[in-house]
């Protein structure tokens, strides 16, 4: 009897040890999200989001057009890589192009490569896949890459406007003001401020509890994720409007600079030629990216289902296709020093 009791006790103990090991393996190894929820009990919503899979509902093409779209997209991406890398290499390899204007142009092309890498590889994969999905973390990373690049382009165009203003309106002060240290500070400004804006926006989004997984676009953007929130998103809205206002001020600053540039350039034929050669590409780039981002931003926030999906996709893709291709082409063809190096 005593032996039977001891056997039962050992069996019970073995079962308990087995259950404990199984529970531990689940908590620590098989479901790290559960373990994170235990360690951070106040961030359950964020931990639940990490396991979410978003469906990108913008891809509505039929199977027969899949390979055509893939070929065109791949061709477009290769053209973006070719044109931007060519301009970057030409500027880096030629010492006579190591001037502020060309350094800022090089920065603009590097930013184009940075932004497009967040979209094209994933989009090309989706074109060949039957399931158009993206993970929660992947979605936030994609939104960060694409929109920090868009803001960086605005910042770079602002810096280029300052450079042209000093070169044309204050030529005697240009070399004393636009020093190497100033150029480095301008480049840091064009990258750091967009990064911080988007990083803070993404962090705010990551704290939201989501009640949906459907994104009506070809790619992830921050506002599309915010709209899936179960609760009011006042803080996200306020910060979003602050960012819009800040970069609208960037645009106003650029326009004011160019009003003065036009006034200074009409005084002589030489100044007019200089304005047309160095400033017109910049204005075309500014107009291009401004219109594209305006359409994308307004449609994302206030869009309506009355528009066809094809039109929605066009508005969403315009600033990811046109500026990265046109910027190096416009500058490469218009700026004489670059054109001479390419010939």
């Amino acid at each position: 009897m005593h032996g039977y009791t001891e056997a039962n006790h050992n069996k019970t103990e073995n079962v308990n040890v087995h259950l404990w090991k199984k529970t531990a393996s689940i908590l620590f190894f098989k479901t790290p999200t559960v373990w994170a929820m235990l360690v951070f009990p106040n961030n359950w919503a964020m931990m639940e989001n990490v396991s979410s899979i978003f469906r990108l509902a913008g891809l509505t093409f039929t199977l027969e057009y899949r390979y055509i779209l893939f070929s065109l997209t791949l061709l477009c991406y290769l053209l973006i890589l070719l044109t931007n890398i060519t301009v970057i290499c030409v500027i880096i390899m030629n010492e006579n192009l190591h001037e502020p204007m060309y350094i800022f142009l090089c920065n603009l092309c590097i930013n184009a490569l940075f932004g497009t890498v967040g979209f094209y590889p994933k989009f090309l994969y989706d074109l060949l896949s039957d399931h158009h999905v993206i993970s929660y973390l992947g979605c936030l990373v994609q939104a960060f890459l694409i929109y920090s690049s868009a803001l960086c382009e605005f910042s770079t165009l602002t810096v280029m406007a300052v450079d042209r203003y000093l070169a044309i309106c204050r030529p005697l002060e240009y070399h004393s003001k636009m020093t190497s240290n100033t150029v480095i500070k301008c480049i840091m400004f064009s990258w750091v401020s967009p990064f911080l804006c988007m990083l803070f926006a993404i962090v705010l989004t990551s704290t939201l509890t989501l009640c949906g997984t459907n994104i009506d676009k070809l790619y992830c953007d921050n506002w599309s994720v915010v709209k899936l929130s179960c609760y009011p998103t006042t803080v996200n809205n306020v910060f979003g409007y602050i960012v819009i206002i800040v970069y609208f001020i960037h645009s106003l600053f650029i326009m004011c600079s160019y009003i003065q540039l036009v006034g200074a350039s009409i005084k002589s034929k030489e100044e007019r030629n200089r304005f047309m050669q160095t400033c017109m590409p910049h204005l075309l780039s500014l107009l291009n990216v401004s219109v594209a981002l305006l359409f994308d931003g307004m449609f994302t926030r206030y869009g309506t289902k009355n528009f066809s999906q094809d039109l929605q996709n066009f508005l969403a893709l315009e600033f990811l296709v046109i500026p990265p291709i046109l910027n190096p082409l416009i500058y490469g063809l218009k700026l004489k020093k670059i054109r001479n190096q390419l010939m």
Side-chain angles (χ1 to χ4, degrees), residues 213-250:
T213 58
N214 206 57
I215 293 178
D216 296 321
K217 293 185 75 170
L218 298 171
Y219 56 87
C220 282
D221 68 86
N222 188 57
W223 187 248
S224 293
V225 179
V226 171
K227 289 193 294 186
L228 299 175
S229 175
C230 304
Y231 305 105
T233 56
T234 305
V235 176
N236 301 73
N237 292 341
V238 170
F239 182 74
Y241 285 120
I242 290 173
V243 173
I244 291 172
I245 291 170
V246 167
Y247 282 90
F248 179 72
I249 292 172
H250 279 46

Coordinates of all heavy atoms in Angstrom, one line a residue, residues 213-250:
T213 N -7.5 44.8 -40.2 CA -6.3 44.4 -40.8 C -6.3 44.7 -42.3 O -5.4 44.3 -43.1 CB -6.1 42.9 -40.7 OG1 -7.2 42.2 -41.2 CG2 -5.9 42.5 -39.2
N214 N -7.3 45.5 -42.8 CA -7.4 45.7 -44.3 C -6.8 47.1 -44.6 O -7.3 48.1 -44.0 CB -8.9 45.7 -44.7 CG -9.0 45.3 -46.1 OD1 -8.5 44.3 -46.6 ND2 -9.7 46.1 -46.9
I215 N -5.8 47.2 -45.5 CA -5.3 48.5 -45.9 C -5.6 48.7 -47.4 O -5.2 47.9 -48.2 CB -3.8 48.5 -45.7 CG1 -3.5 48.5 -44.1 CG2 -3.1 49.8 -46.3 CD1 -2.0 48.5 -43.8
D216 N -6.3 49.7 -47.7 CA -6.8 49.9 -49.1 C -5.8 50.6 -50.0 O -6.1 51.6 -50.7 CB -8.1 50.7 -49.1 CG -9.2 50.0 -48.4 OD1 -9.3 48.7 -48.5 OD2 -10.0 50.6 -47.6
K217 N -4.5 50.1 -49.9 CA -3.5 50.7 -50.8 C -2.6 49.6 -51.2 O -2.7 48.4 -50.8 CB -2.7 51.7 -50.0 CG -3.5 53.0 -49.6 CD -2.6 54.1 -49.0 CE -1.7 54.8 -50.0 NZ -1.1 55.9 -49.4
L218 N -1.6 49.9 -52.1 CA -0.7 49.0 -52.6 C 0.5 48.8 -51.6 O 1.3 47.9 -51.8 CB -0.1 49.5 -53.9 CG -1.1 49.6 -55.1 CD1 -0.5 50.3 -56.3 CD2 -1.6 48.2 -55.5
Y219 N 0.6 49.7 -50.6 CA 1.7 49.6 -49.6 C 1.1 50.2 -48.3 O 0.0 50.8 -48.3 CB 2.9 50.4 -50.1 CG 2.6 51.9 -50.5 CD1 2.6 52.9 -49.5 CD2 2.3 52.2 -51.8 CE1 2.3 54.2 -49.8 CE2 2.0 53.5 -52.1 CZ 2.0 54.5 -51.1 OH 1.7 55.8 -51.5
C220 N 1.9 50.1 -47.3 CA 1.5 50.6 -46.0 C 1.9 52.1 -45.9 O 3.0 52.5 -46.3 CB 2.2 49.9 -44.9 SG 1.5 48.2 -44.5
D221 N 1.0 52.9 -45.3 CA 1.3 54.2 -44.8 C 0.8 54.4 -43.4 O -0.1 53.7 -43.0 CB 0.8 55.3 -45.8 CG -0.7 55.3 -45.8 OD1 -1.3 56.0 -44.9 OD2 -1.4 54.6 -46.6
N222 N 1.4 55.3 -42.7 CA 1.1 55.5 -41.3 C -0.4 55.8 -41.1 O -1.0 55.2 -40.2 CB 1.9 56.6 -40.7 CG 1.8 56.7 -39.2 OD1 2.1 55.8 -38.5 ND2 1.4 57.9 -38.7
W223 N -1.0 56.6 -41.9 CA -2.4 57.0 -41.6 C -3.4 55.9 -41.9 O -4.4 55.8 -41.2 CB -2.7 58.2 -42.5 CG -4.1 58.8 -42.2 CD1 -5.2 58.8 -42.9 CD2 -4.5 59.4 -40.9 NE1 -6.3 59.3 -42.3 CE2 -5.9 59.7 -41.0 CE3 -3.8 59.7 -39.8 CZ2 -6.6 60.4 -40.0 CZ3 -4.5 60.3 -38.7 CH2 -5.9 60.7 -38.9
S224 N -3.1 55.0 -42.8 CA -3.9 53.9 -43.1 C -4.0 52.9 -41.9 O -5.0 52.3 -41.6 CB -3.4 53.1 -44.3 OG -3.6 53.9 -45.5
V225 N -2.8 52.8 -41.1 CA -2.8 52.0 -39.9 C -3.5 52.7 -38.8 O -4.3 52.1 -38.0 CB -1.3 51.7 -39.5 CG1 -1.3 50.9 -38.2 CG2 -0.6 51.0 -40.6
V226 N -3.3 54.0 -38.7 CA -4.0 54.8 -37.6 C -5.5 54.7 -37.8 O -6.2 54.6 -36.8 CB -3.6 56.3 -37.7 CG1 -4.4 57.1 -36.7 CG2 -2.1 56.4 -37.3
K227 N -6.0 54.6 -39.0 CA -7.5 54.6 -39.2 C -8.1 53.2 -38.7 O -9.3 53.1 -38.6 CB -7.8 54.8 -40.7 CG -7.6 56.2 -41.2 CD -8.2 56.4 -42.6 CE -7.5 55.6 -43.6 NZ -8.0 56.0 -45.0
L228 N -7.2 52.2 -38.5 CA -7.7 50.9 -38.0 C -7.8 50.9 -36.5 O -8.2 49.9 -36.0 CB -6.7 49.8 -38.5 CG -6.5 49.6 -40.0 CD1 -5.5 48.6 -40.2 CD2 -7.8 49.2 -40.6
S229 N -7.5 52.0 -35.8 CA -7.6 52.0 -34.4 C -9.0 51.8 -33.9 O -10.0 52.3 -34.5 CB -7.0 53.3 -33.9 OG -7.1 53.4 -32.5
C230 N -9.1 51.1 -32.7 CA -10.4 50.9 -32.1 C -10.8 52.1 -31.3 O -12.0 52.2 -31.0 CB -10.3 49.7 -31.1 SG -9.6 48.2 -31.8
Y231 N -9.9 53.0 -31.0 CA -10.3 54.2 -30.2 C -9.9 55.5 -30.9 O -9.1 55.5 -31.8 CB -9.5 54.0 -28.8 CG -9.8 52.7 -28.1 CD1 -8.8 51.7 -28.1 CD2 -11.0 52.5 -27.5 CE1 -9.1 50.5 -27.5 CE2 -11.3 51.3 -26.9 CZ -10.3 50.3 -26.9 OH -10.5 49.1 -26.3
P232 N -10.3 56.6 -30.3 CA -10.0 57.9 -30.9 C -8.5 58.1 -31.0 O -7.7 57.7 -30.1 CB -10.6 58.9 -30.0 CG -11.7 58.2 -29.3 CD -11.3 56.8 -29.2
T233 N -8.0 58.8 -32.1 CA -6.6 59.0 -32.3 C -6.2 60.5 -32.3 O -5.5 60.9 -33.2 CB -6.2 58.3 -33.6 OG1 -7.0 58.9 -34.7 CG2 -6.4 56.8 -33.6
T234 N -6.6 61.2 -31.3 CA -6.4 62.6 -31.2 C -5.0 63.0 -31.3 O -4.6 63.9 -32.1 CB -7.1 63.2 -30.0 OG1 -8.4 62.8 -29.9 CG2 -7.0 64.7 -30.0
V235 N -4.1 62.3 -30.5 CA -2.7 62.7 -30.5 C -2.1 62.5 -31.8 O -1.3 63.3 -32.3 CB -2.0 61.8 -29.4 CG1 -0.5 62.1 -29.4 CG2 -2.5 62.1 -28.0
N236 N -2.4 61.3 -32.5 CA -1.9 61.0 -33.8 C -2.3 62.1 -34.8 O -1.5 62.5 -35.7 CB -2.3 59.7 -34.3 CG -1.9 58.6 -33.4 OD1 -2.5 58.4 -32.3 ND2 -0.9 57.7 -33.8
N237 N -3.6 62.5 -34.7 CA -4.1 63.5 -35.6 C -3.4 64.9 -35.5 O -3.0 65.5 -36.4 CB -5.6 63.7 -35.4 CG -6.4 62.5 -35.8 OD1 -5.9 61.7 -36.6 ND2 -7.6 62.4 -35.3
V238 N -3.2 65.3 -34.2 CA -2.6 66.5 -33.9 C -1.1 66.5 -34.4 O -0.7 67.5 -35.1 CB -2.6 66.9 -32.4 CG1 -1.7 68.1 -32.1 CG2 -4.0 67.1 -32.0
F239 N -0.4 65.5 -34.1 CA 1.0 65.4 -34.6 C 1.1 65.4 -36.1 O 1.9 66.0 -36.7 CB 1.7 64.2 -34.0 CG 3.1 64.1 -34.4 CD1 4.1 64.9 -33.8 CD2 3.5 63.1 -35.4 CE1 5.4 64.8 -34.2 CE2 4.9 63.1 -35.7 CZ 5.8 63.9 -35.1
G240 N 0.1 64.7 -36.8 CA 0.1 64.6 -38.2 C -0.1 66.0 -38.8 O 0.6 66.4 -39.8
Y241 N -1.0 66.8 -38.2 CA -1.2 68.2 -38.7 C 0.0 69.1 -38.5 O 0.3 70.0 -39.3 CB -2.5 68.8 -38.1 CG -3.8 68.2 -38.7 CD1 -4.7 67.5 -37.9 CD2 -4.0 68.3 -40.0 CE1 -5.9 67.0 -38.4 CE2 -5.2 67.8 -40.6 CZ -6.1 67.2 -39.8 OH -7.3 66.6 -40.3
I242 N 0.7 68.8 -37.4 CA 1.9 69.6 -37.1 C 2.9 69.4 -38.2 O 3.6 70.3 -38.7 CB 2.5 69.2 -35.7 CG1 1.5 69.8 -34.6 CG2 3.9 69.8 -35.5 CD1 1.9 69.3 -33.2
V243 N 3.1 68.1 -38.5 CA 4.1 67.7 -39.6 C 3.7 68.4 -40.9 O 4.5 68.9 -41.6 CB 4.2 66.2 -39.7 CG1 5.1 65.8 -40.9 CG2 4.8 65.6 -38.5
I244 N 2.4 68.3 -41.2 CA 1.9 68.9 -42.5 C 2.2 70.4 -42.5 O 2.7 71.0 -43.5 CB 0.4 68.7 -42.6 CG1 0.2 67.2 -42.9 CG2 -0.2 69.5 -43.8 CD1 -1.3 66.8 -42.9
I245 N 1.9 71.1 -41.4 CA 2.1 72.6 -41.3 C 3.6 72.9 -41.4 O 4.0 73.8 -42.1 CB 1.6 73.1 -39.9 CG1 0.1 73.0 -39.9 CG2 2.1 74.5 -39.7 CD1 -0.6 73.3 -38.6
V246 N 4.5 72.1 -40.7 CA 5.9 72.3 -40.8 C 6.4 72.2 -42.2 O 7.2 73.1 -42.7 CB 6.7 71.3 -39.9 CG1 8.2 71.3 -40.2 CG2 6.5 71.6 -38.4
Y247 N 6.0 71.2 -43.0 CA 6.5 71.1 -44.3 C 5.7 72.0 -45.3 O 6.3 72.3 -46.4 CB 6.4 69.6 -44.8 CG 7.6 68.9 -44.2 CD1 7.5 68.3 -42.9 CD2 8.8 68.8 -44.8 CE1 8.6 67.6 -42.3 CE2 9.9 68.2 -44.2 CZ 9.8 67.6 -43.0 OH 10.9 67.0 -42.4
F248 N 4.6 72.5 -45.0 CA 3.9 73.5 -45.7 C 4.7 74.8 -45.6 O 4.9 75.6 -46.6 CB 2.5 73.7 -45.3 CG 1.8 74.8 -46.0 CD1 1.4 74.6 -47.3 CD2 1.5 76.0 -45.4 CE1 0.7 75.6 -48.0 CE2 0.8 77.0 -46.1 CZ 0.4 76.8 -47.4
I249 N 5.3 75.1 -44.4 CA 6.1 76.2 -44.2 C 7.4 76.1 -45.1 O 7.9 77.1 -45.6 CB 6.5 76.4 -42.7 CG1 5.2 76.8 -41.9 CG2 7.6 77.4 -42.5 CD1 5.4 76.8 -40.4
H250 N 7.9 74.8 -45.2 CA 9.1 74.6 -46.1 C 8.7 75.1 -47.5 O 9.5 75.8 -48.1 CB 9.4 73.1 -46.1 CG 10.2 72.6 -45.0 ND1 9.9 72.9 -43.7 CD2 11.3 71.7 -45.0 CE1 10.8 72.3 -42.9 NE2 11.6 71.6 -43.6

